[in-house]
Amino acid sequence: MAFALAVAGCSTDPSTEATSSGSTRGESTTAGASPTSGSQGDPTAASTTEPPASTTEPPPVTGPPTTAPPTTTTVPPPPPPPPPEDGPLVSGAEGPRTRALQEALKGLGFDLGELDGQFGQKTTMAVWAFQALHGLPTDGVVGPELEALIAAAPPIAMLRPDLGPTHTEVDLDRQVLLVWGDGKLEMVTHVSSGSGVAYCQEGRCGDAVTPIGDYRYLRRIEGPRYAPLGVLYNPVYFNGGIAVHGAPSVPNRPASHGCVRIPMHISDYFQALVADGEPIAVFRSGPGPAAPVAPPGAPPAPPPAGADNGG
């Protein structure tokens, strides 16, 4: 009976409440009871045996997924639009009018590369040559009048028909070269000949003059020829070291050391157009198409000093 009273009567001692309120949830040991008295033989006494520890490993702690920052690609700005074709055609123009201009020039024998409708350097050099042959300023600008002239131009005539049906003509005043084969114009191009001034370069001095006269092609070298005064691409020689050859720079003025420079894309096949022994005439004809040409059969001039250096 004494045991029943101890279980039913809960102590109201403040110190006892504090202790019991701070105990672990689920503990059933009576507050104030001795560890040895009142617990022996009591079927309601809480077991003091600790529960077995769990052997299950807790799941690993993982942080938030790491995501690589997005790769940013810088898009270059679009190229500027080509100049409009509603005015004069100039370098940089692009469109159907430029394509029609290229087709007309190609039909006349000018080699301006691919007919792509883009007014690039090759088209500009072809326009220079057409303007020169027709006594016009070689500014490369194709206004409405010139555009109509090119579209309706008749075939180009020989400047030196006395040389026969197969020959090459180099007009120093107009800075043009024409190749004729069996009476047919095979190609006409802008050129850059000797600048006409004396030079001294790397200890070599001479006169930058392209000699006037009637010559014949003598020999050729395929590919680049590295001369002291520069590189000659696919040169065909006609007077000592003076040759017709390709050059990366063929400006709108005489600028060489004496050779006749032609555009690179033409030098790629020029050697197939001409044969050793064929005539080539170098002359001055004046600024216009009606100007008299140099008399045929003039004795060839000797190569200028320094001609063997190329350029």
Side-chain angles (χ1 to χ4, degrees):
M1 182 64 66
F3 173 78
L5 291 175
V7 173
C10 291
S11 172
T12 58
D13 187 342
S15 63
T16 304
E17 287 186 341
T19 303
S20 62
S21 63
S23 63
T24 304
R25 184 189 301 268
E27 288 182 354
S28 56
T29 304
T30 304
S34 170
T36 57
S37 63
S39 61
Q40 295 178 352
D42 187 355
T44 62
S47 173
T48 59
T49 304
E50 293 290 336
S54 174
T55 58
T56 304
E57 291 289 337
V61 179
T62 59
T66 57
T67 303
T71 302
T72 57
T73 303
T74 302
V75 179
E85 286 193 308
D86 54 1
L89 297 177
V90 297
S91 179
E94 179 179 352
R97 282 180 58 203
T98 300
R99 173 62 183 262
L101 172 70
Q102 292 175 328
E103 291 175 348
L105 288 169
K106 186 174 182 64
L108 292 170
F110 296 89
D111 183 353
L112 36 74
E114 183 181 358
L115 304 180
D116 54 7
Q118 299 178 4
F119 202 127
Q121 184 62 25
K122 296 175 184 177
T123 301
T124 298
M125 288 190 289
V127 172
W128 287 345
F130 182 92
Q131 290 174 321
L133 283 172
H134 290 77
L136 302 173
T138 55
D139 56 8
V141 178
V142 182
E145 293 183 1
L146 179 57
E147 187 176 5
L149 179 61
I150 293 174
I156 298 173
M158 283 187 184
L159 301 178
R160 288 287 306 273
D162 58 287
L163 295 174
T166 301
H167 64 270
T168 300
E169 302 169 340
V170 180
D171 188 332
L172 299 182
D173 286 331
R174 301 175 188 176
Q175 292 290 280
V176 294
L177 178 149
L178 301 90
V179 177
W180 298 89
D182 293 330
K184 179 182 177 181
L185 180 60
E186 296 185 337
M187 188 272 297
V188 56
T189 180
H190 163 76
V191 301
S192 179
S193 60
S195 64
V197 299
Y199 65 88
C200 280
Q201 184 173 331
E202 297 183 357
R204 292 176 171 85
C205 299
D207 299 319
V209 174
T210 302
I212 293 175
D214 296 343
Y215 307 94
R216 292 185 181 272
Y217 290 114
L218 302 173
R219 58 190 177 90
R220 63 194 58 211
I221 297 176
E222 293 185 4
R225 192 263 173 174
Y226 296 91
L229 297 179
V231 184
L232 290 68
Y233 294 91
N234 298 310
V236 184
Y237 296 89
F238 60 88
N239 183 14
I242 301 295
V244 177
H245 69 83
S249 174
V250 188
N252 191 18
R253 56 182 173 81
S256 79
H257 291 97
C259 288
V260 179
R261 297 181 186 176
I262 59 176
M264 291 291 289
H265 71 284
I266 294 177
S267 72
D268 289 340
Y269 65 87
F270 182 78
Q271 291 189 355
L273 291 181
V274 300
D276 291 350
E278 287 182 358
I280 172 174
V282 182
F283 53 88
R284 295 187 178 277
S285 66
V293 298
D308 56 324
N309 297 323

